[in-house]
Every structure is written in structure tokens, then in C-alpha cells.
Amino acid sequence: MSSRAVTQHRATERGRTFNPLSSAAASQELRHRTQHLILATAGHVDHGKTALVRALTGTDTDRLPEEKARGITIDLGFAQLALPGFSLGVIDVPGHEDFVRNMIAGIGSVNLALLVVAADDGWMAQTEEHLQILDYLAVKHGVVAITKADLADAAQVAKEARTRLQGTSLADAPIVTTSVRDESSLQVLAETLATVCASVPPPRDIGRPRLFVDRAFSVRGAGTIVTGTLNGGRLRREEMVWLQPQNKEVRIRALQNHNQQAEMVLPGMRSALNLPDFQPNDIPRGSVIAGMSLPSSRTLDVLLRRSDRLGAEARPLKNLSSVQLHYGSARFSARATLLDRRELLPGENGIARLHFEEPIFAFLGDRFVLRDSSARRTIAGGIVLEGDAERIKFHSPGQRDLLTARAAAPNELEILVRTQLRRDRIIRSETLLLKSNFSRQEITNAVGVLVRTGELLQRGEFTADKASWETMMRAAAKAIDDRHAARPNELGLELPELRRILALANPHLFETLLIDLCERDFEHRGNAIRRRTHRLSLPKQLEGIAGEIRAALAARPFDPPSLKELAKTAPAREALRFLCANGEAVRINDEFVLSTTAFDEMKRRIVATLRTRDAGTASELRQALGTTRRVLVPLLEYLDRLGLTTRVGDRRTLRKL
């Protein structure tokens, strides 16, 4: 085989080769200039997948003694294939029907597939099931290799394969006839793979790295090592990440990509992480190493799709069926509740809720495969429409509308944003679609489009459905106006009462609402909010009582009666609140009030005295005012709170601004 087309790498991903101290700066720079993709094999048992990988890469991916003894692949095997401009992490999967679980664990995060069909056997049961799994996972790029071409009529098998591919995600995949004994056919296969790689979109870096763990083991002197395929973002050495779904923080002590030490690994790379703070048993296959701390869920709302190729023997998927969900490199037991039907037949799509026994860390837009409860048959595939559905009523109108819209366009970002805001009304902008396969900038851009069309608006740290926000603003305005009408003698509606009426538990959201109200027709005064046009007025039945309070305060301006004397009855207390709100009186503390005229004069005299003396005791200031200690001490404390004076020992000075 030409070295220009295929560079053979005999290094495997075995844990014993991991060396956190190895140095490969030059090769690391080359790796970062190369597009990294993941290739998974697929096909029936004994059709030559492992032999083909060995011929292409020089690596025998059957690493287990049992695999050697039985002559079949049981678990995932790994190799590397270098093509011009591309580095392919190759995942060799088992083809036997007993190990489909392991097969799906290997293709949960692949970019392209190598579907293998033996010329001497032709299209077999596991060939068909593997193709359906690839189709459910929307693997759109791949090559079909007809192996053992030296043993049978490969052309006829290739013709059948082309027919079988129709209507699947690999309908247009090129078909190559090969034999491991014919190096020229391997050359053609390598060149075909390179051509297909050129059409594969680069792995997306959305700033949300997730590595689905397929192996965890211990290496003497290094500790725990996990391997997997990295998606969604990059990871760096010494970075803190989170083990999901446990949501436990962990440090990456070292990184490798195909046995080469790296400071950073990129999306699409087969990666090995040294996580010394955990034991291998703490990190089972299916765990996720994530770059963010986010909650997991025991409930997903999904769109299910059943292939019309399942055959006449395929059973209906009935409501409340027990199923096995294969996602990433993990398998979960679940119960499926259908939204609007009793059963889902082959060839049909339907919305369902999956209830899990264990938490799952899944993102909106992630794809998965369903098998029956015995894990013997693949029965459906699907895509996540809602990744955190535990606290949401499945049959509520808002959730039904959200799921129906998303099911029609599960990858349309503007629809995802719009449906989220229509259901939840108001969301902190930084949490919007946080568990999705879109970057923060993409989400921000989509929000911007919907803001410009008038569907959404942004206020402070929140994004809101415009209609919902305006409804809340109208409710707030009505509550304030109702208070003005019921109690015109009061300044306005107290803020805690407004918050209770609107049922806003989030204090930041309530503060944002107040800011918006004050940018319109309202103003915030003390602990209340009112319309700017509101003018306090006293009910006629209280006018006489208010006059009596005014007269009492005027008769003894610097030594007023106590509150108990002034407000012995409920009407008197209401009249006094009006005088304070209307600016006619100043409440100094819980014991007494001063008329505003008296307060201003006393404050003027205190300022004048302190400017003359620089400082003064309470006794000296009392003499200057001609008042009592009962009034003066609380008055000075009130002026301290206002920031006019400050106390130093037993003396007061004017506060320097």
C-alpha cells in the first residue's frame, strides 16, 4: 500500500502504553493542523471487519484473550488511520448479535462508518441491523466495503448492497470491492475513505466538551485512565471538568491522543484522560466527562422513529413499554410513555417520554437507539427534544406545543429558542438552551433575530417572550393602580406586596421588572412603587384627624407628642401615614415624628452649630436646639443614617463628602 495514501500506526490505545510524561510537541502541532474524525466499522460477524482494519492500520484491534480464542470481536477495538489531511480514530465494533450493545457503544459519536459485507455471505441479519442503527443515529457519511472478493462474486453482492442502502442515511455511500490479500484494493479503499472524509463537516467546537467514556482502567504510576471520543469542545491538561451524571468535579492531570502526550485535545479526537482522583470502578462505561456542571435528569422527552425495514415480525411499540436506550457509550433501562397514541408501528414517528431508573446526562438534539427490554431487537431510534423534563407535565398544553413544534424541526435553532420561551416565558439568557448542541454565540444570534422580529425581548440578564413579559407588566400596572384607587392616601404599592401578587420568586427578575416599570410611567419611592401621575389625597373622613395631628406637631415643633399619643386609633394611624407619605411629616423612629418644617429647621441648626465648633456633644446640640434628650438622640441617629453626621466617641461631626 502506498505510504502517501495510508500511514500505518502499530500503536494501540491500550492502557499499559499511557505515559503522562512523554513529549511529542512536534507531532502535537501536526495533529492540530489535521482534521480529526472518528470512523466506526459495522457489519455482520465474521465478515472481515477486524482483518480489514488490521490491513489498513497495522493494528490488531482484537485485544482480549477471549477474542483471540473465539476468533470474533467481542468488545470495542481501537486503531488509528492517517490519510492525507485527516487522522481517523478507528473503532472496530463486534458484529455478533450477542454484542450489539457493545457495537452501539462504539458508534455513538462517529463521523463516518465503514459498513462491511462479505462477498461469500452477502447481506446478513446483523448487516441490516447495523445499517438501521447507523440510520437511526443519522450517520450520513461512509463507505461500504465488500470483503473477501477473492472468494465469491463480489459484483452481485455490491449490487444487492446498493439496493439495501436505499432510503437510509448511507444511500449514496460509495461501494468498494476489497480483499486483504489484494493491496491495490486496499489502496482504492483508502483513497475512497479520504474522498469521503473531505465531504464530512469538521467536528463542531461549541464550547461544551463531552467525552463519552468507553474504557476506564488503572495504570501503575499514573492512576485512573479513561478513553473515549471527544465532542463539542476542547479539553486541556490541568483543567477541571465534571464526571457526569454524578456531577463530580475532577482534574485532568494528563492528556493523550493515540499514545501521544497533548496539552489539549480537540473535538473528533480519540482521547485518553488521566483522572487520578477517581478509581476505575467510579467511572463505568457510559459516563461522560463534561466541561460544565449541569444537572442530569431521569426523564427525557423525545421523538421516536421506527424504521419501515423492521420486517413483518416486528411488534408494535406499545405505550408504557419497557425498553433499553443506547446513548453515547451507555445503556439505560427506561419506560416509554407515548404522547398521543397507544402504540407505534414500524414506519411511524411519535413523541414519547422516557422515564429512567438512573439519571442520564443528555443534550437537546442528541440521538439514540432503542432496543426491546430483553436487548435482543433494535426497535427504534430517536432524538432528544427536551433534556430536563422531570418537573414538566408531559400532557400540559405548553409542553405539547413545544414538543410538536420541535418534532417537526428538531435542528432548527430559532424554533428551539421560540418554543422554549413560549413555554417558560422568561429565562436567564445565559441558561437558554444550555444543554444543547449549539454554541452560546449561535444561540445569541438566534435570539437577536427573534428580538428584531418582535417575538422576544431582552431585559437585563433575562430573555422573555414579548407577549408574556407585557402581560406581566400589565398585571403589575393594574396592581399599582388598584392600590392607588383603594388607598389614595398612601404613596403606592409596597414592593413585597407587588412581588407576591406577581408570584416572582427570583429577586433578580423582580428587580429587572422594577427597572422596566420605572422606564415607563412609574417611579420607585422608598419601599413602594407608584405612578408618576399619582397625587396623594386624604379621604374626607380622615381630614379632621389629619388636621388635629398637624396642629399637635405645630404646637410643640421641637418636642412633639409620641406616636402613641398622636395615633391612638386606626384612622389616626392611617392619617399619620398619609402625612409622612405626602412629605408633611418625617418619621424619626418608632417613637415619634416631626413636622417637616420642624425637621428642616432642627437640621439647619445642627449643621450651623457643627460648622462653628467642628464637633459637638449631644448635650451641646440639645442646648442649641432647645429640645429634649428624648428627641435629640434619635434625631442624631437618624441624621447619621442619612449620612449628614457621623459619631466619634460621644461627639458628632459633619460627614466629609
Side-chain angles (χ1 to χ4, degrees), residues 313-331:
E313 75 283 358
R315 300 174 181 175
L317 175 58
K318 294 186 177 181
N319 190 38
L320 300 179
S321 293
S322 294
V323 296
Q324 296 289 320
L325 178 135
H326 295 259
Y327 164 73
S329 55
R331 180 179 69 169

Side-chain angles (χ1 to χ4, degrees), residues 279-296:
Q279 296 299 315
N281 290 341
D282 299 329
I283 312 176
R285 172 178 283 183
S287 300
V288 181
I289 305 300
M292 68 290 288
S293 173
L294 291 171
S296 298

Side-chain angles (χ1 to χ4, degrees), residues 579-625:
L579 294 176
C580 291
N582 202 38
E584 296 183 56
V586 178
R587 184 163 181 161
I588 303 301
N589 63 8
D590 292 337
E591 300 296 329
F592 73 95
V593 299
L594 293 169
S595 70
T596 301
T597 302
F599 172 74
D600 290 341
E601 177 59 22
M602 295 174 82
K603 182 174 67 172
R604 185 191 67 76
R605 293 188 187 184
I606 288 172
V607 170
T609 301
L610 293 180
R611 283 177 176 169
T612 302
R613 302 184 180 185
D614 292 332
T617 65
S619 177
E620 292 169 340
L621 293 171
R622 182 178 63 80
Q623 293 176 9
L625 293 177

Side-chain angles (χ1 to χ4, degrees), residues 12 15 25 128 193 295 563 600:
T12 70
E128 178 64 31
L193 285 170
L563 282 176
D600 290 341

Side-chain angles (χ1 to χ4, degrees), residues 392-412:
I392 303 169
K393 292 183 179 179
F394 186 40
H395 292 93
S396 66
Q399 186 68 356
R400 181 184 290 270
D401 290 346
L402 176 143
L403 295 174
T404 302
R406 288 184 174 182
N411 297 308
E412 291 293 330

